[in-house]
Amino acid sequence: MIHDLRKVTIVVVARMSSSRLPGKTLMSLAHRPVLGRVVNRVEQSHEADGVLVATSTDPSDDPIAEWSREAGMHCFRGSLANVALRVLKAGKEAGAKGIVRVSADSPFIDPAIIDHAIRLFRRSEVDLVTNVFPRTFPKGESVEVIAIEALNRVLEEGLSPAQEEHVTKVFYDRAKRFRIVNFRVDDLTDTTQGDHSAVQLSVDSEDDWVTAQAVAHSLGTHLDDASWIEIESAWRSIAKGRES
């Protein structure tokens, strides 16, 4: 059976509590919250059937729910600790057969990578399509499409606390049990190849935040539609400038 008709929903996983950079999800990046930047980018996907935000029921995440409401975004709220369960329930509520898990700290995520992953998911019977097993794309360009049925199955079998927090960890931990398709930079472009995993385009620390602001300023009005290759180029120019 080919998955051409299977509904795929993008789930942006968001929370306010971050040990390294608390509140980063709603920090302003070029006059828009980081979460708003992520949502704007993923909504440009041509293959996805919808986008929603998945945050927790913890009061600390009320601002995310409020932002979603004001932005007209559907926001699913679930477990704070068990992110895998939260994502599964969000996907089920959306009626999806596949979930694109995107982190809310990835303001430069490229919709073209998401579209490629969804097309791979729909072509064959797989449990997970990923570009991090192994990673060749920059951090912040991570895309994983998870089959609802597979995620439901592993949750029923039981997960460790680490696997509950990191949604796809169980698939990588038990890789031989699952049908995993990994794609690389080389699969997506002929002009840019090799390993770009050392490039940090996600916002995980204060230093990442400063760099993200510089990248956004460098791209200017092109920020919303720049490809990951163009964004990486801006990042490298900034990094080089700091070294000199």
Side-chain angles (χ1 to χ4, degrees):
M1 175 182 176
I2 304 300
H3 294 179
D4 288 340
L5 302 179
R6 296 208 305 177
K7 182 177 180 180
V8 177
T9 297
I10 298 173
V11 176
V12 180
V13 182
R15 67 173 186 173
M16 293 296 288
S17 53
S18 167
S19 58
R20 299 181 67 180
L21 191 60
K24 63 183 180 181
T25 303
L26 293 182
M27 291 169 67
S28 180
L29 180 63
H31 312 294
R32 184 182 296 171
V34 171
L35 177 57
R37 290 280 167 206
V38 177
V39 168
N40 179 68
R41 298 280 294 185
V42 302
E43 284 186 328
Q44 296 176 49
S45 166
H46 298 293
E47 297 289 343
D49 297 297
V51 179
L52 62 85
V53 174
T55 194
S56 83
T57 54
D58 191 88
S60 65
D61 287 327
D62 287 350
I64 292 175
E66 178 62 17
W67 177 88
S68 299
R69 185 188 67 77
E70 292 178 354
M73 284 294 302
H74 177 63
C75 181
F76 176 87
R77 304 190 72 174
S79 172
L80 175 63
N82 195 339
V83 185
L85 180 61
R86 188 200 317 167
V87 168
L88 175 66
K89 287 185 174 181
K92 284 185 172 180
E93 183 176 274
K97 297 299 183 182
I99 305 161
V100 183
R101 189 201 70 87
V102 172
S103 174
D105 64 3
S106 303
F108 304 118
I109 189 73
D110 192 328
I113 300 177
I114 293 173
D115 285 346
H116 182 74
I118 293 175
R119 286 192 292 267
L120 288 175
F121 179 77
R122 285 177 169 150
R123 282 177 194 163
S124 59
E125 293 283 354
V126 295
D127 297 310
L128 175 67
V129 173
T130 176
N131 66 350
V132 300
F133 193 62
R135 176 191 295 277
T136 57
F137 285 86
K139 298 176 182 68
E141 299 294 343
S142 304
V143 173
E144 297 164 308
V145 189
I146 316 160
I148 282 274
E149 185 276 330
L151 186 57
N152 190 74
R153 188 168 71 247
V154 296
L155 275 159
E156 288 180 346
E157 293 174 356
L159 303 178
S160 68
Q163 290 168 342
E164 289 179 349
E165 180 181 3
H166 304 284
V167 180
T168 52
K169 186 178 188 308
V170 62
F171 294 98
Y172 305 131
D173 288 347
R174 310 174 189 172
K176 291 183 179 179
R177 288 186 50 194
F178 299 103
R179 298 161 296 183
I180 301 176
V181 172
N182 185 80
F183 65 99
R184 306 170 63 90
V185 165
D186 300 23
D187 299 323
L188 216 59
T189 173
D190 294 327
T191 57
T192 301
Q193 301 182 344
D195 185 355
H196 299 249
S197 60
V199 177
Q200 174 70 350
L201 298 182
S202 63
V203 179
D204 188 46
S205 66
E206 182 66 34
D207 185 60
D208 298 337
W209 172 244
V210 172
T211 303
Q213 289 178 305
V215 169
H217 178 75
S218 173
L219 292 168
T221 57
H222 189 37
L223 175 59
D224 287 342
D225 58 4
S227 70
W228 73 269
I229 297 172
E230 294 168 307
I231 293 167
E232 180 185 303
S233 178
W235 180 91
R236 288 187 183 278
S237 295
I238 290 163
K240 185 177 180 180
R242 290 178 177 175
E243 292 172 358
S244 60

